[in-house]
Amino acid sequence: MGFQYFAGAAFRALTARKDGPSLYDVCDPVLLNYCGGDPHLGKFYKTALGNPALRPLLRRTGLPALNDAGRLQRLRAALTQARDAAEPDWAAVGAPIAELMADIGVRHPEPAKVAAQARAPSAAEIERVIRRCGAHLLGSFAKNGFIPTYAAFNLLGDADISGREMLMALTGLNARGYKNSTLLFSLARIFIAHSPARALINPPWTGVAEPMWEPMQIRHRSAYYDAFFTEALLSFVETGLASGEETAASQRAISEMVAFCLKTSAEEVPSHDGSTVRVITALAPGSGPRFSRFFAQIKQDLGFGIYVPDCDTTACSFSAATQAGSTDPILDQPLLDFYKGYQVREGANEPRVTVPLNDHIDYEGGVVTWIDNLAGDRPYGNDLDPTLNLDILEVSFRNLARWKILETPQRLETVHRIIGFQRKLAASGAFANPRSHIYYLPELYSAYFGRCHAAFMALPLAARQAIDPDGAFAFIRAKVLAYVEGELIAREMNAFDAALALMALAHLGADVATFTPALACIVADFGEGGRHGPYKAYEWNKMKTPTRILVGGPEVTSAFVLMGLALARGKMAEA
């Protein structure tokens, strides 16, 4: 898609024939200027939806359904209640919007089947890409003082969020700002879905992971990202392809990123047993996230000011630091004791999952996402993501002896229950369903299962038997490999898809012949990033609510391509 595609889409949006009240006809009388009530709702409306960039694109998009005066009145009454009530009935507020969401027609991508690749790239081609990706990460760190990641809004929203799930979010989120943003983004989705602007806001793409379109990106830093950049640079050094200067630069960057994770981003929180524990927050206090002044203000205006630690950032930060050889005392905390308090036990604490967007899966044994801070804030309510639970297992395997997991029945039970949760997910096939995942895609779950499986297989046989006496890991491995080999690499991929496929295949011991489609894709797409790096930015993770907020970046793609190629190269050398 080039200039002609986007120019045509913009022209059609700007000249569309209006056939009913527009988003602004509905909202301006209620939210544009008012006194009293909740000031944030109006500020969010003007900042996110009524801004000069979006208003021209949507002002000519009307909804014929709202030509019904009664329906329009009910919608405005709901917005008025959200604006004026001290404690709105959010289910009632969301009801007229949920009705209108029935036909928005947002679907997951369905890449076409492709013929099998006949030739794998040469070792020289693979090594050239590894070196370039490593140099990209190091160059970005040298330029910025950190390796940035980017966030971008896709205002058409997520395919898994229909009216039903939107109501779950409205009633399950705690912070009013997040309820406001969910409400208004959901309303905007309806108009975008019926507008020619849809083609501009959500253009088609190749593969599964969504490309991140440049105009909407917000640069920032997080311990979660630093943890994976640490793993990528460790992988680069281990390949032996880094020069002496690059090895030294990698070691310096790793040391600084581990310190950012364990010190700058550390936060003390209460545990279920009355003690306090130091965990890792995704957005460090103060200037840690490195937002520009402009985006820091926008973030505040949009109501995204309250942030709490999460179980995933904590697990990944501890894991990366362990791999880097850190001896920081924070790593001595047996996280499983803490995670036990956030683990779902059927019938006892299932209400922990207040935003059950993936309620078709069995939560028993899973650990929820968000951690209450010392003030007791829980702005997102809570949800449960399968990939997060793989990261908890992986960090536990890396710290098996340090945390005395085999010697402590309570800790071993926590591990067994998480493994049981994962086995049920694999047995049902739900791991391959995008709806099962809150923050990730099935392809990324597959790569992270490979990462977890590798940590498991690195343990002594006796330890593996104690952890997994029933062979759950072998069972899940077979299911994940079948998905990657039969679906992911058998269809059109982009470079990010291919990197994740390689990570899964190599970690899970697949035949090296299966690497060819992913290797060929990565080498063929080399250079697609232009001035930004070897590759484009793609969806790494996301937030489904308040709308589809994607996170990734050119550096992220380089990191995953580097790790995938390094693993594949090692396995090919052994074959």
Side-chain angles (χ1 to χ4, degrees):
M1 291 170 298
F3 173 78
Q4 191 171 8
Y5 172 90
F6 290 102
F11 176 79
R12 288 187 289 275
L14 294 170
T15 59
R17 179 179 174 274
K18 189 176 175 186
D19 53 1
S22 72
L23 174 68
Y24 306 109
D25 294 331
V26 171
C27 295
D28 279 0
V30 180
L31 301 177
L32 195 57
N33 294 296
Y34 60 91
C35 296
D38 176 26
H40 173 257
L41 190 66
K43 179 178 279 191
F44 185 93
Y45 171 66
K46 287 185 278 189
T47 302
L49 304 182
N51 63 72
L54 193 60
R55 190 177 278 266
L57 290 176
L58 295 182
R59 68 184 179 86
R60 299 183 65 83
T61 295
L63 289 185
L66 294 180
N67 286 322
D68 179 332
R71 203 166 186 181
L72 176 61
Q73 183 179 0
R74 287 194 298 276
L75 180 56
R76 283 188 176 146
L79 294 173
T80 301
Q81 184 188 163
R83 183 193 72 187
D84 292 346
E87 296 289 341
D89 179 344
W90 288 102
V93 166
I97 296 175
E99 290 175 16
L100 292 169
M101 291 176 71
D103 62 347
I104 57 176
V106 182
R107 297 179 179 86
H108 290 288
E110 296 180 358
K113 287 273 190 179
V114 294
Q117 291 283 338
R119 186 190 74 86
S122 68
E125 290 175 297
I126 292 170
E127 290 174 1
R128 176 173 67 103
V129 177
I130 290 174
R131 287 191 175 99
R132 181 67 186 89
C133 289
H136 180 215
L137 296 179
L138 292 173
S140 183
F141 189 91
K143 176 183 176 182
N144 299 295
F146 69 107
I147 302 177
T149 306
Y150 300 81
F153 291 93
N154 180 333
L155 295 177
L156 188 58
D158 196 277
D160 297 318
I161 305 298
S162 65
R164 173 180 177 269
E165 288 75 26
M166 182 269 292
L167 291 174
M168 286 180 179
L170 281 182
T171 55
L173 296 167
N174 284 357
R176 185 157 184 170
Y178 291 117
K179 292 174 183 282
N180 289 342
S181 53
T182 295
L183 180 74
L184 291 183
F185 272 139
S186 298
L187 181 59
R189 289 180 70 195
I190 300 163
F191 289 89
I192 293 168
H194 291 87
S195 168
R198 175 177 183 154
L200 191 65
I201 290 169
N202 193 56
W205 68 87
T206 298
V208 180
E210 182 176 344
M212 294 174 59
W213 309 104
E214 197 171 331
M216 298 292 286
Q217 294 182 12
I218 304 170
R219 191 181 78 162
H220 62 296
R221 183 181 193 181
S222 164
Y224 181 78
Y225 316 143
D226 274 26
F228 279 92
F229 288 134
T230 293
E231 290 195 21
L233 289 180
L234 286 169
S235 179
F236 184 39
V237 172
E238 288 168 4
T239 64
L241 297 174
S243 67
E245 184 177 335
E246 287 174 329
T247 298
S250 296
Q251 291 167 342
R252 288 193 297 271
I254 288 167
S255 177
E256 290 185 33
M257 289 191 291
V258 168
F260 180 79
C261 290
L262 301 190
K263 297 187 182 300
T264 307
S265 302
E267 181 176 344
E268 195 168 80
V269 299
S271 186
H272 65 284
D273 61 2
S275 64
T276 58
V277 176
R278 289 186 69 74
V279 297
I280 311 301
T281 187
L283 289 184
S287 61
R290 301 292 289 267
F291 289 114
S292 69
R293 184 175 299 178
F294 172 75
F295 280 122
Q297 186 59 51
I298 291 288
K299 174 176 172 287
Q300 202 68 29
D301 289 346
L302 292 180
F304 301 145
I306 303 175
Y307 218 88
V308 291
D310 65 274
C311 293
D312 210 7
T313 299
T314 302
C316 292
S317 296
F318 275 45
S319 174
T322 301
Q323 293 175 66
S326 173
T327 58
D328 192 298
I330 195 174
L331 300 176
D332 294 332
Q333 299 174 119
L335 283 180
L336 286 170
D337 292 351
F338 175 73
Y339 285 142
K340 180 181 173 62
Y342 284 91
Q343 189 172 40
V344 172
R345 188 176 294 275
E346 188 174 9
N349 65 345
E350 279 200 357
R352 277 197 174 281
V353 184
T354 65
V355 189
L357 303 179
N358 53 354
D359 61 354
H360 63 289
I361 67 175
D362 185 350
Y363 295 142
E364 160 58 31
V367 175
V368 296
T369 303
W370 300 102
I371 298 170
D372 299 0
N373 62 19
L374 281 175
D377 293 321
R378 196 183 301 166
Y380 299 112
N382 230 320
D383 49 50
L384 197 153
D385 185 90
T387 308
L388 176 157
N389 280 265
L390 292 176
D391 292 334
I392 293 173
L393 290 175
E394 192 267 353
V395 73
S396 298
F397 299 155
R398 291 194 181 279
N399 290 279
L400 193 76
R402 182 186 304 201
W403 294 348
K404 295 182 170 55
I405 293 172
L406 298 183
E407 299 86 349
T408 311
Q410 177 178 299
R411 293 170 193 165
L412 187 58
E413 182 203 16
T414 300
V415 169
H416 284 159
R417 292 180 59 226
I418 297 174
I419 293 172
F421 164 74
Q422 298 291 353
R423 179 165 191 153
K424 286 178 290 185
L425 196 73
S428 68
F431 79 93
N433 181 352
R435 187 174 165 241
S436 302
H437 304 275
I438 303 295
Y439 300 105
Y440 305 97
L441 290 167
E443 55 168 352
L444 195 124
Y445 175 90
S446 301
Y448 281 28
F449 175 73
R451 174 175 169 267
C452 180
H453 186 272
F456 172 73
M457 293 302 294
L459 297 173
L461 177 60
R464 298 201 304 269
Q465 290 174 336
I467 289 167
D468 183 20
D470 301 321
F473 268 87
F475 177 82
I476 301 169
R477 173 186 176 275
K479 295 288 187 180
V480 171
L481 271 180
Y483 165 73
V484 175
E485 294 177 358
E487 285 293 322
L488 183 54
I489 64 173
R491 297 180 181 273
E492 288 183 334
M493 293 182 286
N494 54 49
F496 198 77
D497 299 334
L500 296 176
L502 275 183
M503 289 179 67
L505 293 169
H507 272 318
L508 296 177
D511 189 316
V512 296
T514 64
F515 298 178
T516 298
L519 290 171
C521 174
I522 287 171
V523 171
D525 289 352
F526 182 72
E528 68 173 9
R531 64 187 177 87
H532 298 292
Y535 295 96
K536 295 177 182 176
Y538 293 93
E539 168 192 356
W540 174 14
N541 55 73
K542 62 180 175 284
M543 292 189 73
K544 290 184 175 182
T545 60
T547 190
R548 188 169 164 80
I549 304 174
L550 307 179
V551 175
E555 289 87 351
V556 171
T557 310
S558 286
F560 278 91
V561 166
L562 192 163
M563 289 190 286
L565 289 181
L567 285 166
R569 175 175 175 264
K571 295 296 182 182
M572 291 164 73
E574 295 172 4

